[in-house]
Amino acid sequence: MGDDRYEYERVAGIIEQQIETGALRPAERVPSVRAMSRHAGVSVGTVVQAYMHLERLGLLEARPRSGYFVAERSRASAPAPPARRRAGSRRPRPIAREVVDTVIESFGRTDLVALNSAVAASAARINGRLNGLTRRVLRESPGLPNALSIPPGLAELRREIAKRATLSGMRVDPDDVVITAGTMEALALSLGVLCASGDTVLVETPTYFGILQLLRHLRLKVVEVPNHPDTGIDVAALERVVSGTRIAAALLQSSFNNPTGALTPDAAKERILAVLAKHRIPLIEDDIYGDLCFGRERPKPFAAFGGSADVITCGSISKTVALGFRVGWAIGPRHTAALVSAKFCTTVGGPTLQQHVAARYFASRNHDRHLRRVRESLRANCARVADAVARSFPRGTRVSVPAGGVVLWVELPADVDGVALFHAALERGIGIAPGIIFSAKAEYRNWIRLSAGVQWSPVVGKAIEVLGRLAGRPPARSVPAG
């Protein structure tokens, strides 16, 4: 053991670094003196000396009979964590990439008015029921936390998902349902099964930015076809693209595109399937929003139209039942074995307890009543947010009129920069999503996406008023796209 003068400084440095990085937060208890003594390999007296030193610096505070805690400094006075770059990376990332990173970081902030998310807050009304089911399942099977659910997943849950899919017009064998960790993993597994690095994938524009990031991560190329807020996927443009480009797969949102909210008509869906089948292009279908229609009848997914098309349908309960459960599925009868293998190779198995709870929830037959409440809440909320935008934003602003989903696509006047508005909104505690992240080419500079899923309140109304004032004063300098 070295000189105590240096040892206590080393111990103090460990705690100070944890505070600076946010690993230890204000008012959080630091390791006990004895625990830190064992961890650092120093005497108890050295740890006490280190903690007293940090207390003099204002970083820790002692509480009688409770130990030492991180001092409660106000968030406003705490320095922002430095931007981090991956080790070994010296190349600057494009502005669009930086914007995406900032948007993703904003999703985790609890101090924002969350107009940036695509989550239906009203779905959380069944938290109590889910918690009760969880307790019941654990009472009956207390060993579930250490039980592994291997692919394709819990049979009872796969049967319930197959039943729900049949109601939407699909013909589904429960054996072809592969349980995944949410829709994003279902999409990732499907792309991995159908594509190799360097292949080209057809997507809509705009489309969910997470899909674009996934394609980038898998080193896949992108070719885009327009999705119009009023009419959905541009079928004529799709026909032209697939006729002149070698495409490994198409990845399309079947209903209520994120961010436009567009619903592609049934006739267009059938035509798209025929075109893809003609060119032997498999379709990965993102059907996560299909259940969130504002009308009485759920739109049919692509897979409901059958034919000779090769379709993998991906969905989850994240938007309708439980965001945190991370329970999703991929249904692709021609690729079941490959999807099961891919799932095992990535995560070995799925969340066992959550699968049991979800299966029990669906079997209770209360889901349809819950969906009706969620849909009605979203429909009313969407109208209120759209009205507030119409009242508060500058002349020339246009807002989509979706028939379902949880988002509004807002076109700003041409001289308003969505990225600059995004940053200005963050400074005022408001989260939005700038349009450029929904395009592989960083287009939609003067567009933003707003959440219609956040529960309406005076705070939300005030936030939209603030956004409108900010949009009416476009900054003099725009941030260039990467």
Side-chain angles (χ1 to χ4, degrees):
M1 188 178 297
D3 191 318
D4 278 352
R5 289 177 300 175
Y6 302 108
E7 290 297 323
Y8 92 81
E9 291 176 352
R10 178 172 68 85
V11 173
I14 293 172
I15 298 297
E16 188 170 4
Q17 183 180 36
Q18 291 180 343
I19 294 172
E20 288 177 352
T21 60
L24 283 173
R25 298 178 179 178
E28 184 176 352
R29 190 175 187 267
V30 302
S32 70
V33 169
R34 293 190 180 278
M36 180 55 79
S37 171
R38 291 192 299 270
H39 172 78
V42 297
S43 68
V44 169
T46 298
V47 177
V48 171
Q49 188 178 8
Y51 283 6
M52 291 176 65
H53 171 69
L54 292 172
E55 187 178 14
R56 287 193 296 271
L57 293 178
L59 296 176
L60 296 185
E61 57 184 27
R63 298 182 187 176
R65 300 187 180 183
S66 297
Y68 285 89
F69 292 76
V70 179
E72 295 191 61
R73 296 177 295 170
S74 69
R75 180 176 295 174
S77 64
R84 296 182 181 272
R85 190 174 292 172
R86 285 186 295 182
S89 175
R90 295 179 178 227
R91 296 169 55 189
R93 291 178 293 178
I95 293 295
R97 176 69 248 176
E98 298 288 355
V99 173
V100 170
D101 288 345
T102 307
V103 170
I104 294 173
E105 289 170 5
S106 73
F107 291 148
R109 289 180 54 176
T110 58
D111 61 330
L112 298 179
V113 180
L115 294 173
N116 53 348
S117 68
V119 176
S122 51
R125 293 174 180 172
I126 59 168
N127 281 352
R129 185 183 308 164
L130 294 175
N131 292 339
L133 287 174
T134 301
R135 289 190 291 270
R136 191 179 311 164
V137 168
L138 283 174
R139 280 198 302 270
E140 296 172 4
S141 304
L144 278 182
N146 273 301
L148 179 64
S149 176
I150 63 172
L154 184 68
E156 293 92 329
L157 178 58
R158 290 187 286 116
R159 282 196 296 271
E160 293 297 334
I161 291 169
K163 292 176 187 176
R164 300 294 309 179
T166 301
L167 294 176
S168 67
M170 297 171 60
R171 293 175 60 87
V172 179
D173 186 326
D175 289 340
D176 291 325
V177 178
V178 179
I179 303 300
T180 64
T183 307
M184 278 298 288
E185 189 190 37
L187 298 176
L189 295 177
S190 301
L191 286 167
V193 164
L194 298 176
C195 306
S197 179
D199 281 348
T200 298
V201 177
L202 181 146
V203 301
E204 303 153 75
T205 183
T207 193
Y208 172 49
F209 73 90
I211 288 174
L212 298 176
Q213 299 310 304
L214 174 60
L215 294 169
R216 177 189 177 117
H217 172 71
L218 295 175
R219 294 181 172 84
L220 296 170
K221 300 174 184 176
V222 173
V223 61
E224 299 177 311
V225 296
N227 179 295
H228 304 291
D230 296 331
T231 57
I233 299 169
D234 189 326
V235 185
L238 183 144
E239 286 185 291
R240 289 193 297 272
V241 168
V242 300
S243 297
T245 309
R246 184 180 179 85
I247 295 172
L251 200 171
L252 304 175
Q253 298 177 53
S254 51
S255 300
F256 313 127
N257 165 284
N258 177 1
T260 69
L263 173 63
T264 300
D266 287 353
K269 289 179 181 176
E270 290 187 280
R271 188 175 160 193
I272 288 169
L273 286 174
V275 171
L276 295 178
K278 176 183 176 182
H279 292 273
R280 296 183 179 180
I281 299 172
L283 169 62
I284 302 170
E285 171 178 19
D286 179 358
D287 190 37
I288 191 170
Y289 294 108
D291 277 337
L292 297 180
C293 56
F294 296 163
R296 292 184 177 181
E297 188 173 348
R298 185 203 196 279
K300 290 182 179 180
F302 279 106
F305 296 96
S308 58
D310 180 4
V311 182
I312 301 177
T313 300
C314 302
S316 75
I317 64 173
S318 296
K319 307 299 181 182
T320 55
V321 179
L323 176 66
F325 271 33
R326 310 314 301 150
V327 170
W329 52 85
I331 306 173
R334 302 186 193 183
H335 306 283
T336 302
L339 289 167
V340 167
S341 177
K343 172 64 180 173
F344 179 83
C345 291
T346 50
T347 58
V348 181
T352 306
L353 174 59
Q354 289 91 327
Q355 287 188 58
H356 278 267
V357 175
R360 189 77 62 93
Y361 165 75
F362 281 122
S364 71
R365 301 292 179 259
N366 290 317
H367 185 54
D368 286 323
R369 182 164 63 247
H370 166 66
L371 271 184
R372 286 194 295 271
R373 295 191 185 113
V374 172
R375 289 167 176 170
E376 177 56 29
S377 175
L378 285 173
R379 186 197 62 76
N381 219 49
C382 186
R384 297 189 78 165
V385 173
D387 287 346
V389 170
R391 290 193 307 269
S392 303
F393 277 58
R395 186 183 301 275
T397 299
R398 297 195 300 175
V399 186
S400 62
V401 185
V406 297
V407 294
L408 289 170
W409 189 228
V410 181
E411 182 182 10
L412 304 166
D415 62 343
V416 180
D417 187 297
V419 175
L421 180 59
F422 161 71
H423 286 296
L426 275 185
E427 292 178 0
R428 289 157 178 81
I430 304 169
I432 62 174
I436 68 166
I437 68 173
F438 300 96
S439 164
K441 300 175 183 176
E443 296 177 333
Y444 310 108
R445 169 63 59 178
N446 61 311
W447 295 73
I448 60 172
R449 189 196 72 181
L450 294 180
S451 171
V454 62
Q455 200 63 38
W456 181 266
S457 69
V459 172
V460 172
K462 181 64 176 178
I464 294 174
E465 289 181 14
V466 172
L467 285 175
R469 288 198 297 271
L470 293 173
R473 299 195 303 268
R477 185 174 66 86
S478 171
V479 181

